Amino acid sequence: MILVWLIAILLIGGTLCWLLAQWNKVFPKWIALCATVAGLVLMVWLCLQYKNSGDGAGSEWFINYRLSWIPAFGISFHLALDGLSLVLLLLTFFLGILSVLCSWNEIKEKHGFYFFNLLWTLAGICGVFVAMDLFLFYFFWEVMLVPMYFLISIWGDTNRRYASYKFFLFTQAGGLLMLLSILALYFIHAQQTGIYSFDYFDLLHTSPGASTAKWIMMGFLFAFMVKLPVVPFHSWLPDAHSEAPTAGSLILAGLLLKTGAYGIIRFVLTLFPQQAQAFGWWAMLLGAIGILYGAFLAFAQTDLKRLIAYTSVSHMGFVLLGIFAFNEIAMQGVIMQILTHGISTGALFVMAGMLKERLHTRDINQMGGLWTAMPFMGGAAMLFTMASLGLPMLGNFIAEFLILIGAFSASAALTVLATLGLIFSACYALRMMQKVFLGPATVTAPLKDMNVREWVMMSALTIGIIVLGLFPQPVIDMVKGVVGALVD
């Protein structure tokens, strides 16, 4: 029942934000903050319960809550939690709090509707990470997309309409293909057993023919690859990132992309193991191409948010490479990459929002020498830039190191190709620091360094990326059972 409350807190909080905004525009901020903090407190409590239960050593489900919903069609309200879902929910509420804080002064109008969409997007993401009924999974998949569309189209930048339409069309096209695959699996299961069910655990035992299974898997895989995103399905991402408000970019980079990785791990690998293995080399190739392509395009950008967006394309290539390496070390690296990318790239987007608020531009050619005026922001930017390029003792290094070690045993050639991405990531990361914070000063107006609210956000992100870099073992232990079962 606690999983229901985690989602309900966000849904109810979002509705209250919208309803109470007409009395005072401050109410939505505090309601949203209280809702996300309450969710994080519950998640910390769940983590402690999970650790004390000893379930982390196995692959059993820690929480398995099922309630009949539409029994005539075999639809249930089925939520379940294991180590993988637990880690992702913890990341969701952590970044959810930061998304509320970075919106505190940025949003100037329609505060109630804004925080309504923000909390409902987070609720949809939470639902995706725990839904074990495929109809319910698709329902939450759509719940997280529609509010994000409004966040971009209403509170985005100059070209927000184009970016929001593109985001919606790409992700909706993938979602519809996934729906067709879900329905195909549903009817094949009914034909084989005589029972209509959307339940994940029932569909695990469905055995379509080899050719049919391949096409059903491709429907799932396409939807998740669009969301990840994988080259060449990535073109919606830079536009959405560059036009979204800061919180929108933070949620996109830190959470929405991770639903694609989660979907591949949870559904593609388990429902279609043979077909996934047959596609493995091609998926690793797409991952290696994405690593290099994203790095090249990031180096060529002058728009700060587009530059950071292309780094996400590059980093998500490591995720695809590690998933389809089919070994435990690489899969552990994938989960670490999901966490560390959400923190480091999320921090860079928060930083970009701070700079946009002060300079009213995203063009890095109009910046320069900002470290002198804002030394604390410059120091934080250096830390997360170093994390992005994989500096040892920071979380991203652990993730990429594990992925490359695991992938080498699967394909040495593709791993060597992917390793070049680490060199190119240093090129775009150092260019970004040079253009923005170092070199001759181009801004003459007085600039304020980070305020207390921004200090709190950057301190939390800093602690997170350093702890994951120095002591990743708790995360590895938490998902060890899940990863072992997946690889087996």
Side-chain angles (χ1 to χ4, degrees):
M1 192 68 182
I2 192 170
L3 298 181
V4 179
W5 278 109
L6 282 170
I7 298 170
I9 285 170
L10 296 172
L11 295 176
I12 295 169
T15 305
L16 289 176
C17 287
W18 195 3
L19 294 176
L20 299 181
Q22 56 184 319
W23 282 285
N24 193 321
K25 69 178 184 180
V26 176
F27 286 167
K29 300 177 183 180
W30 287 103
I31 293 171
L33 184 61
C34 290
T36 49
V37 169
L40 183 62
V41 170
L42 282 175
M43 284 312 305
V44 171
W45 179 79
L46 272 178
C47 285
L48 295 175
Q49 295 295 312
Y50 183 78
K51 182 180 178 181
N52 294 333
S53 70
D55 286 344
S59 59
E60 296 298 319
W61 294 87
F62 177 55
I63 296 176
N64 199 342
Y65 175 80
R66 184 172 181 176
L67 185 69
S68 182
W69 186 12
I70 312 175
F73 297 104
I75 300 172
S76 61
F77 191 82
H78 190 179
L79 306 177
L81 186 77
D82 62 358
L84 176 60
S85 299
L86 189 63
V87 167
L88 293 173
L89 284 178
L90 197 61
L91 179 68
T92 300
F93 282 100
F94 175 66
L95 295 183
I97 294 172
L98 299 181
S99 67
V100 173
L101 290 175
C102 70
S103 306
W104 208 260
N105 295 327
E106 181 181 359
I107 304 305
K108 307 297 184 185
E109 59 180 3
K110 301 177 182 175
H111 298 80
F113 191 51
Y114 173 84
F115 285 104
F116 166 83
N117 284 292
L118 186 66
L119 292 186
W120 275 60
T121 301
L122 293 173
I125 293 168
C126 289
V128 163
F129 288 148
V130 296
M132 287 293 112
D133 182 280
L134 266 65
F135 181 88
L136 184 64
F137 176 82
Y138 182 76
F139 172 79
F140 282 122
W141 187 269
E142 294 299 307
V143 166
M144 73 178 177
L145 296 183
V146 177
M148 179 55 70
Y149 164 81
F150 286 119
L151 286 176
I152 299 172
S153 64
I154 298 176
W155 294 276
D157 218 323
T158 309
N159 206 20
R160 58 185 180 271
R161 293 289 176 85
Y162 169 78
S164 60
Y165 291 158
K166 194 172 184 180
F167 161 77
F168 193 77
L169 289 173
F170 267 76
T171 51
Q172 193 67 12
L176 289 175
L177 276 178
M178 180 173 66
L179 177 61
L180 291 176
S181 294
I182 291 171
L183 291 173
L185 205 58
Y186 170 76
F187 285 114
I188 291 172
H189 175 77
Q191 187 179 33
Q192 292 178 352
T193 64
I195 300 171
Y196 288 94
S197 175
F198 283 98
D199 194 83
Y200 170 77
F201 298 106
D202 293 336
L203 297 178
L204 274 175
H205 306 294
T206 305
S207 303
S211 176
T212 305
K214 181 183 74 174
W215 288 108
I216 296 174
M217 181 208 73
M218 292 305 293
F220 278 102
L221 191 59
F222 179 78
F224 300 138
M225 289 172 77
V226 168
K227 186 59 66 69
L228 194 56
V230 175
V231 176
F233 311 120
H234 69 287
S235 64
W236 63 270
L237 183 68
D239 293 306
H241 268 314
S242 58
E243 301 303 322
T246 303
S249 296
L250 174 61
I251 292 174
L252 272 172
L255 300 173
L256 250 73
L257 305 190
K258 309 312 183 293
T259 60
Y262 172 81
I264 295 174
I265 294 170
R266 179 71 79 202
F267 298 108
V268 174
L269 298 190
T270 55
L271 293 173
F272 312 99
Q274 289 83 15
Q275 290 73 26
Q277 196 163 9
F279 186 70
W281 188 87
W282 295 102
M284 291 182 71
L285 177 63
L286 287 175
I289 291 172
I291 291 168
L292 299 177
Y293 182 78
F296 287 147
L297 289 191
F299 185 80
Q301 301 305 309
T302 58
D303 185 313
L304 181 57
K305 289 186 78 173
R306 288 185 76 87
L307 189 160
I308 301 169
Y310 277 113
T311 70
S312 290
V313 175
S314 182
H315 288 138
M316 290 300 99
F318 281 104
V319 169
L320 194 66
L321 185 78
I323 289 174
F324 284 93
F326 298 111
N327 65 66
E328 190 168 346
I329 294 176
M331 195 66 74
Q332 290 282 12
V334 166
I335 294 168
M336 285 296 297
Q337 180 78 335
I338 288 172
L339 291 176
T340 57
H341 173 267
I343 293 172
S344 61
T345 306
L348 290 175
F349 275 116
V350 171
M351 196 79 66
M354 295 178 190
L355 292 172
K356 174 70 164 40
E357 187 178 345
R358 288 162 170 79
L359 305 175
H360 308 291
T361 182
R362 303 193 307 258
D363 189 348
I364 61 176
N365 290 324
Q366 297 181 29
M367 303 178 191
L370 296 180
W371 197 310
T372 303
M374 298 182 289
F376 292 115
M377 189 181 294
M382 178 63 81
L383 174 72
F384 290 108
T385 300
M386 293 300 103
S388 183
L389 62 83
L391 190 73
M393 294 195 296
L394 298 174
N396 298 60
F397 170 78
I398 301 292
E400 292 170 4
F401 183 70
L402 290 175
I403 289 171
L404 292 173
I405 288 178
F408 190 82
S409 61
S411 174
L414 291 178
T415 305
V416 170
L417 190 64
T419 306
L420 296 175
L422 299 177
I423 300 171
F424 299 133
S425 67
C427 295
Y428 67 66
L430 295 176
R431 173 178 175 266
M432 179 178 69
M433 277 302 299
Q434 174 67 29
K435 286 280 190 180
V436 177
F437 287 99
L438 305 175
T442 57
V443 181
T444 57
L447 298 172
K448 293 181 179 180
D449 209 341
M450 294 192 296
N451 57 36
V452 175
R453 176 178 53 85
E454 293 165 342
W455 260 104
V456 170
M457 289 191 291
M458 301 314 296
S459 298
L461 291 162
T462 299
I463 292 169
I465 202 68
I466 292 176
V467 168
L468 288 174
L470 294 178
F471 193 52
Q473 194 62 45
V475 175
I476 293 173
D477 289 341
M478 196 175 291
V479 298
K480 183 178 180 181
V482 180
V483 169
L486 277 170
V487 174
D488 290 341

